[in-house]
Amino acid sequence: MSRVRLVSPDLISQDEESFNQTLRPPSLEQYVGQRKIVEKLSIALQAARQRSESAEHTLLYGPPGLGKTTLAHIIANSMGAKIVTTSGPALERTGDLMGILTNLGEGDILFIDEIHRLPANIEEFLYPAMEDFKVDFVVDKGMFAKTINVPLKKFTLVGATTRAGNLSAPLRNRFGLFFHLEFYPVEDLKKIILRSAHILEVPVDDAGAAEIAQRARGTPRIANRLLRRVRDYADVKADGNITAEVARQALKLEGVDEQGLDELDRNFLSTIIRLYKGGPVGVEAMAATLNEEVDTLVDMVEPYLLQLGFVSRTRSGRMANEPAYRHLKLSMPGRSPGLFES
Protein backbone atom coordinates (compact mmCIF):
# COMPACT_ATOMS: atom_id res chain seq x y z
CA MET A 1 0.00 0.00 0.00
CA SER A 2 1.44 3.39 -0.97
CA ARG A 3 1.90 5.97 1.77
CA VAL A 4 -0.51 8.88 2.16
CA ARG A 5 1.42 12.14 1.78
CA LEU A 6 0.16 15.51 2.93
CA VAL A 7 1.82 17.14 -0.10
CA SER A 8 0.46 14.66 -2.64
CA PRO A 9 -1.37 16.42 -5.51
CA ASP A 10 -3.83 13.52 -5.76
CA LEU A 11 -6.99 13.21 -3.71
CA ILE A 12 -6.26 11.27 -0.53
CA SER A 13 -9.84 10.59 0.57
CA GLN A 14 -13.48 10.99 -0.41
CA ASP A 15 -13.86 13.30 2.58
CA GLU A 16 -11.32 15.64 1.01
CA GLU A 17 -13.28 15.68 -2.27
CA SER A 18 -16.46 16.63 -0.37
CA PHE A 19 -14.52 19.36 1.43
CA ASN A 20 -13.08 20.71 -1.83
CA GLN A 21 -16.55 20.92 -3.38
CA THR A 22 -17.53 23.54 -0.80
CA LEU A 23 -14.52 25.65 -1.81
CA ARG A 24 -14.88 25.49 -5.61
CA PRO A 25 -15.52 28.84 -7.30
CA PRO A 26 -18.82 28.72 -9.23
CA SER A 27 -17.77 31.09 -12.01
CA LEU A 28 -14.76 32.21 -14.03
CA GLU A 29 -14.98 35.62 -12.35
CA GLN A 30 -14.21 33.99 -9.00
CA TYR A 31 -11.60 31.58 -10.37
CA VAL A 32 -8.08 32.51 -9.25
CA GLY A 33 -5.08 32.00 -11.53
CA GLN A 34 -4.66 30.46 -15.01
CA ARG A 35 -5.43 33.89 -16.51
CA LYS A 36 -4.91 32.99 -20.16
CA ILE A 37 -7.17 29.94 -19.86
CA VAL A 38 -9.86 31.94 -18.07
CA GLU A 39 -9.84 34.61 -20.77
CA LYS A 40 -9.95 32.16 -23.69
CA LEU A 41 -12.59 29.98 -22.05
CA SER A 42 -14.72 33.00 -21.16
CA ILE A 43 -14.75 34.13 -24.80
CA ALA A 44 -15.56 30.62 -26.09
CA LEU A 45 -18.44 30.14 -23.65
CA GLN A 46 -19.89 33.59 -24.26
CA ALA A 47 -19.76 33.03 -28.02
CA ALA A 48 -21.55 29.68 -27.64
CA ARG A 49 -24.26 31.27 -25.49
CA GLN A 50 -24.79 34.11 -27.98
CA ARG A 51 -25.27 31.57 -30.79
CA SER A 52 -27.46 29.37 -28.55
CA GLU A 53 -25.11 26.47 -29.21
CA SER A 54 -23.49 23.87 -27.00
CA ALA A 55 -19.94 24.58 -25.94
CA GLU A 56 -17.23 22.86 -27.95
CA HIS A 57 -15.74 19.61 -26.68
CA THR A 58 -12.97 20.65 -24.30
CA LEU A 59 -9.78 18.92 -23.16
CA LEU A 60 -8.17 20.03 -19.89
CA TYR A 61 -4.72 18.66 -19.21
CA GLY A 62 -1.98 19.19 -16.67
CA PRO A 63 -0.73 17.87 -13.32
CA PRO A 64 -3.27 16.73 -10.71
CA GLY A 65 -4.81 19.17 -8.26
CA LEU A 66 -4.69 22.28 -10.47
CA GLY A 67 -8.43 22.75 -11.05
CA LYS A 68 -9.52 20.65 -14.05
CA THR A 69 -12.62 19.35 -12.27
CA THR A 70 -13.41 22.86 -11.03
CA LEU A 71 -13.24 24.24 -14.57
CA ALA A 72 -15.55 21.48 -15.82
CA HIS A 73 -18.18 22.50 -13.24
CA ILE A 74 -17.70 26.18 -14.12
CA ILE A 75 -18.32 25.36 -17.81
CA ALA A 76 -21.58 23.67 -16.82
CA ASN A 77 -22.60 26.61 -14.60
CA SER A 78 -21.75 29.12 -17.30
CA MET A 79 -23.82 27.26 -19.90
CA GLY A 80 -26.69 26.67 -17.48
CA ALA A 81 -26.31 22.95 -18.08
CA LYS A 82 -26.37 19.76 -16.05
CA ILE A 83 -23.02 18.01 -15.56
CA VAL A 84 -22.61 14.23 -15.46
CA THR A 85 -19.29 13.06 -14.03
CA THR A 86 -17.49 9.79 -14.62
CA SER A 87 -13.92 8.58 -15.17
CA GLY A 88 -12.02 6.57 -17.76
CA PRO A 89 -11.47 3.48 -15.58
CA ALA A 90 -15.16 3.42 -14.56
CA LEU A 91 -16.37 2.93 -18.15
CA GLU A 92 -15.73 -0.72 -18.97
CA ARG A 93 -18.61 -1.67 -21.28
CA THR A 94 -20.23 0.23 -24.13
CA GLY A 95 -23.54 -0.28 -22.36
CA ASP A 96 -22.29 1.83 -19.45
CA LEU A 97 -21.54 4.74 -21.76
CA MET A 98 -24.71 4.20 -23.79
CA GLY A 99 -26.84 4.71 -20.69
CA ILE A 100 -25.04 7.96 -19.85
CA LEU A 101 -25.16 9.39 -23.37
CA THR A 102 -28.85 8.70 -23.99
CA ASN A 103 -29.79 10.44 -20.72
CA LEU A 104 -27.93 13.65 -21.56
CA GLY A 105 -30.12 16.63 -22.41
CA GLU A 106 -29.49 19.38 -24.95
CA GLY A 107 -26.30 21.24 -24.03
CA ASP A 108 -25.47 19.03 -21.02
CA ILE A 109 -21.86 18.43 -19.99
CA LEU A 110 -20.29 14.97 -19.82
CA PHE A 111 -17.11 15.19 -17.74
CA ILE A 112 -14.70 12.26 -18.05
CA ASP A 113 -11.80 12.42 -15.64
CA GLU A 114 -8.64 10.42 -16.42
CA ILE A 115 -9.84 10.23 -20.01
CA HIS A 116 -6.47 8.78 -21.08
CA ARG A 117 -7.48 5.56 -19.29
CA LEU A 118 -10.56 4.90 -21.43
CA PRO A 119 -10.64 1.33 -22.81
CA ALA A 120 -10.15 1.17 -26.59
CA ASN A 121 -13.71 -0.07 -27.24
CA ILE A 122 -15.21 2.81 -25.23
CA GLU A 123 -13.02 5.34 -26.99
CA GLU A 124 -14.11 4.13 -30.44
CA PHE A 125 -17.74 4.18 -29.29
CA LEU A 126 -17.28 7.87 -28.39
CA TYR A 127 -16.10 9.00 -31.83
CA PRO A 128 -19.51 9.18 -33.59
CA ALA A 129 -21.08 10.53 -30.39
CA MET A 130 -18.65 13.45 -30.35
CA GLU A 131 -18.71 14.11 -34.10
CA ASP A 132 -22.25 13.34 -35.25
CA PHE A 133 -24.15 13.09 -31.94
CA LYS A 134 -25.28 9.56 -32.66
CA VAL A 135 -24.11 6.07 -31.74
CA ASP A 136 -24.43 2.68 -33.35
CA PHE A 137 -25.49 0.13 -30.77
CA VAL A 138 -25.27 -3.60 -31.54
CA VAL A 139 -27.99 -5.82 -30.07
CA ASP A 140 -28.07 -9.62 -30.01
CA LYS A 141 -25.19 -11.74 -31.23
CA GLY A 142 -24.14 -13.88 -34.15
CA MET A 143 -26.57 -14.19 -37.05
CA PHE A 144 -29.24 -12.35 -35.06
CA ALA A 145 -27.04 -9.30 -34.41
CA LYS A 146 -28.30 -5.98 -35.69
CA THR A 147 -27.14 -2.40 -35.38
CA ILE A 148 -29.42 0.32 -34.07
CA ASN A 149 -28.58 3.93 -34.86
CA VAL A 150 -29.41 6.01 -31.78
CA PRO A 151 -29.50 9.84 -32.10
CA LEU A 152 -28.20 11.90 -29.17
CA LYS A 153 -28.88 15.39 -27.92
CA LYS A 154 -26.05 17.84 -28.61
CA PHE A 155 -23.83 17.65 -25.57
CA THR A 156 -20.35 18.85 -24.60
CA LEU A 157 -17.64 16.40 -23.62
CA VAL A 158 -15.09 17.79 -21.18
CA GLY A 159 -12.12 15.49 -20.75
CA ALA A 160 -9.45 15.83 -18.07
CA THR A 161 -6.09 14.12 -18.09
CA THR A 162 -2.72 14.31 -16.41
CA ARG A 163 -1.14 12.57 -19.41
CA ALA A 164 -2.22 14.18 -22.65
CA GLY A 165 0.53 12.31 -24.50
CA ASN A 166 -1.25 9.03 -23.73
CA LEU A 167 -4.38 10.09 -25.64
CA SER A 168 -4.76 8.59 -29.09
CA ALA A 169 -4.63 11.03 -32.00
CA PRO A 170 -8.22 10.24 -33.18
CA LEU A 171 -9.65 11.10 -29.75
CA ARG A 172 -7.47 14.17 -29.28
CA ASN A 173 -8.45 15.52 -32.71
CA ARG A 174 -12.15 15.46 -31.83
CA PHE A 175 -11.76 18.13 -29.17
CA GLY A 176 -12.23 21.75 -30.22
CA LEU A 177 -10.70 23.48 -27.19
CA PHE A 178 -7.43 22.55 -25.49
CA PHE A 179 -6.26 24.06 -22.21
CA HIS A 180 -3.02 23.23 -20.41
CA LEU A 181 -3.13 24.05 -16.70
CA GLU A 182 0.18 25.11 -15.17
CA PHE A 183 1.45 25.27 -11.61
CA TYR A 184 0.30 28.36 -9.71
CA PRO A 185 2.63 31.13 -8.49
CA VAL A 186 2.73 31.74 -4.74
CA GLU A 187 0.75 34.99 -5.08
CA ASP A 188 -2.20 33.18 -6.69
CA LEU A 189 -2.07 30.40 -4.09
CA LYS A 190 -2.16 33.04 -1.38
CA LYS A 191 -5.37 34.46 -2.89
CA ILE A 192 -6.88 30.97 -3.01
CA ILE A 193 -6.01 30.36 0.65
CA LEU A 194 -7.50 33.71 1.71
CA ARG A 195 -10.67 32.92 -0.26
CA SER A 196 -10.94 29.43 1.26
CA ALA A 197 -10.28 30.79 4.75
CA HIS A 198 -13.07 33.35 4.26
CA ILE A 199 -15.52 30.59 3.25
CA LEU A 200 -14.45 28.46 6.23
CA GLU A 201 -14.54 31.49 8.56
CA VAL A 202 -10.92 30.92 9.58
CA PRO A 203 -9.00 34.01 10.78
CA VAL A 204 -5.78 34.20 8.75
CA ASP A 205 -3.56 37.19 8.02
CA ASP A 206 -1.65 37.84 4.79
CA ALA A 207 1.62 36.58 6.21
CA GLY A 208 0.00 33.35 7.40
CA ALA A 209 -1.60 32.75 4.00
CA ALA A 210 1.73 33.45 2.28
CA GLU A 211 3.52 30.97 4.54
CA ILE A 212 1.07 28.21 3.59
CA ALA A 213 1.16 29.18 -0.10
CA GLN A 214 4.97 28.95 -0.14
CA ARG A 215 4.71 25.28 0.85
CA ALA A 216 1.81 24.31 -1.44
CA ARG A 217 3.97 23.15 -4.37
CA GLY A 218 2.11 25.33 -6.87
CA THR A 219 -1.08 23.29 -6.37
CA PRO A 220 -4.44 24.61 -5.04
CA ARG A 221 -5.50 21.17 -3.76
CA ILE A 222 -2.39 20.99 -1.59
CA ALA A 223 -2.89 24.61 -0.47
CA ASN A 224 -6.40 23.84 0.80
CA ARG A 225 -5.21 20.63 2.46
CA LEU A 226 -2.42 22.46 4.28
CA LEU A 227 -4.91 25.13 5.33
CA ARG A 228 -7.03 22.42 7.00
CA ARG A 229 -4.04 21.10 8.96
CA VAL A 230 -2.94 24.59 10.00
CA ARG A 231 -6.51 25.42 11.01
CA ASP A 232 -6.55 22.39 13.35
CA TYR A 233 -3.23 23.42 14.89
CA ALA A 234 -4.37 27.03 15.29
CA ASP A 235 -7.62 25.97 16.99
CA VAL A 236 -5.70 23.97 19.59
CA LYS A 237 -2.48 25.95 19.99
CA ALA A 238 -3.18 29.53 18.90
CA ASP A 239 -6.75 30.57 19.70
CA GLY A 240 -7.79 29.83 16.11
CA ASN A 241 -5.78 32.66 14.52
CA ILE A 242 -3.39 31.75 11.69
CA THR A 243 -0.29 33.91 11.56
CA ALA A 244 3.01 33.26 9.79
CA GLU A 245 4.52 31.79 12.96
CA VAL A 246 1.50 29.55 13.59
CA ALA A 247 1.62 28.30 10.01
CA ARG A 248 5.38 27.62 10.29
CA GLN A 249 4.97 25.67 13.53
CA ALA A 250 1.99 23.68 12.24
CA LEU A 251 3.69 22.67 9.02
CA LYS A 252 6.98 21.93 10.79
CA LEU A 253 5.01 19.48 12.91
CA GLU A 254 3.63 17.93 9.70
CA GLY A 255 7.15 17.60 8.29
CA VAL A 256 6.59 20.08 5.42
CA ASP A 257 9.51 22.48 5.02
CA GLU A 258 9.65 25.98 3.53
CA GLN A 259 9.91 24.65 -0.03
CA GLY A 260 6.99 22.24 0.40
CA LEU A 261 9.22 19.17 0.65
CA ASP A 262 8.26 16.33 2.98
CA GLU A 263 10.30 13.49 4.46
CA LEU A 264 10.18 11.37 1.29
CA ASP A 265 11.38 14.27 -0.87
CA ARG A 266 14.25 15.01 1.49
CA ASN A 267 15.18 11.32 1.75
CA PHE A 268 15.21 11.13 -2.05
CA LEU A 269 17.63 14.05 -2.28
CA SER A 270 19.87 13.02 0.59
CA THR A 271 20.11 9.46 -0.79
CA ILE A 272 21.37 10.74 -4.14
CA ILE A 273 23.84 13.05 -2.40
CA ARG A 274 25.09 10.92 0.51
CA LEU A 275 24.91 7.37 -0.84
CA TYR A 276 25.43 7.99 -4.54
CA LYS A 277 27.77 11.00 -4.34
CA GLY A 278 25.30 13.28 -6.11
CA GLY A 279 24.57 10.84 -8.94
CA PRO A 280 23.98 9.81 -11.59
CA VAL A 281 21.93 6.94 -10.18
CA GLY A 282 19.14 4.90 -11.77
CA VAL A 283 15.61 5.27 -10.45
CA GLU A 284 15.39 1.49 -9.85
CA ALA A 285 18.36 1.70 -7.52
CA MET A 286 16.78 4.67 -5.76
CA ALA A 287 13.50 2.79 -5.34
CA ALA A 288 15.30 -0.22 -3.84
CA THR A 289 17.32 1.97 -1.48
CA LEU A 290 14.27 3.93 -0.28
CA ASN A 291 12.00 0.84 -0.25
CA GLU A 292 9.50 2.65 -2.48
CA GLU A 293 7.81 1.79 -5.77
CA VAL A 294 9.46 3.15 -8.91
CA ASP A 295 6.11 4.66 -9.99
CA THR A 296 5.86 6.52 -6.68
CA LEU A 297 9.22 8.16 -7.24
CA VAL A 298 8.62 8.94 -10.92
CA ASP A 299 5.04 10.22 -10.58
CA MET A 300 4.88 11.62 -7.05
CA VAL A 301 8.37 12.77 -6.06
CA GLU A 302 10.44 13.69 -9.10
CA PRO A 303 8.08 16.14 -10.90
CA TYR A 304 8.23 18.77 -8.16
CA LEU A 305 11.96 18.30 -7.57
CA LEU A 306 12.56 18.70 -11.30
CA GLN A 307 10.41 21.84 -11.29
CA LEU A 308 12.53 23.32 -8.48
CA GLY A 309 15.73 22.38 -10.29
CA PHE A 310 16.82 20.18 -7.37
CA VAL A 311 17.42 17.14 -9.60
CA SER A 312 18.10 16.43 -13.26
CA ARG A 313 17.29 13.39 -15.38
CA THR A 314 20.20 12.27 -17.54
CA ARG A 315 20.82 9.22 -19.70
CA SER A 316 22.91 7.78 -16.90
CA GLY A 317 20.33 8.44 -14.17
CA ARG A 318 19.26 11.08 -11.67
CA MET A 319 21.64 13.77 -10.46
CA ALA A 320 21.34 16.25 -7.59
CA ASN A 321 21.86 19.91 -8.52
CA GLU A 322 23.30 22.80 -6.54
CA PRO A 323 19.90 24.03 -5.17
CA ALA A 324 19.38 20.60 -3.56
CA TYR A 325 22.72 20.81 -1.74
CA ARG A 326 21.88 24.33 -0.64
CA HIS A 327 18.43 23.32 0.60
CA LEU A 328 19.83 20.43 2.66
CA LYS A 329 22.78 22.62 3.78
CA LEU A 330 25.35 20.23 2.34
CA SER A 331 28.55 20.96 0.45
CA MET A 332 28.85 20.06 -3.20
CA PRO A 333 31.76 17.82 -4.21
CA GLY A 334 34.81 19.90 -5.01
CA ARG A 335 33.67 22.83 -2.87
CA SER A 336 34.90 23.84 0.53
CA PRO A 337 33.11 22.19 3.48
CA GLY A 338 30.31 24.14 5.06
CA LEU A 339 29.65 26.27 1.96
CA PHE A 340 25.87 25.99 2.34
CA GLU A 341 25.78 25.56 6.10
CA SER A 342 24.12 28.28 8.10
Side-chain angles (χ1 to χ4, degrees), residues 105-176:
E106 193 76 26
D108 283 352
I109 308 296
L110 172 59
F111 175 55
I112 303 181
D113 199 8
E114 297 183 89
I115 196 170
H116 64 277
R117 295 178 61 187
L118 279 176
N121 63 317
I122 299 295
E123 186 177 310
E124 291 172 5
F125 191 75
L126 260 180
Y127 296 161
M130 293 176 70
E131 269 193 327
D132 305 318
F133 300 103
K134 63 181 181 181
V135 288
D136 293 327
F137 195 66
V138 179
V139 295
D140 291 332
K141 294 181 180 179
M143 62 182 296
F144 299 105
K146 58 182 178 180
T147 301
I148 300 176
N149 187 270
V150 181
L152 304 172
K153 302 284 179 60
K154 289 191 175 182
F155 69 97
T156 297
L157 175 64
V158 178
T161 176
T162 56
R163 299 186 176 183
N166 288 7
L167 286 180
S168 68
L171 179 58
R172 193 166 54 244
N173 292 341
R174 283 171 169 81
F175 286 97

Side-chain angles (χ1 to χ4, degrees), residues 66-119:
L66 298 189
K68 296 184 289 294
T69 301
T70 297
L71 282 175
H73 282 83
I74 286 176
I75 290 172
N77 291 341
S78 180
M79 298 302 295
K82 181 182 74 174
I83 184 169
V84 177
T85 301
T86 185
S87 68
L91 297 171
E92 298 179 349
R93 299 178 298 114
T94 54
D96 299 334
L97 183 57
M98 182 70 176
I100 294 173
L101 291 174
T102 52
N103 282 305
L104 291 174
E106 193 76 26
D108 283 352
I109 308 296
L110 172 59
F111 175 55
I112 303 181
D113 199 8
E114 297 183 89
I115 196 170
H116 64 277
R117 295 178 61 187
L118 279 176

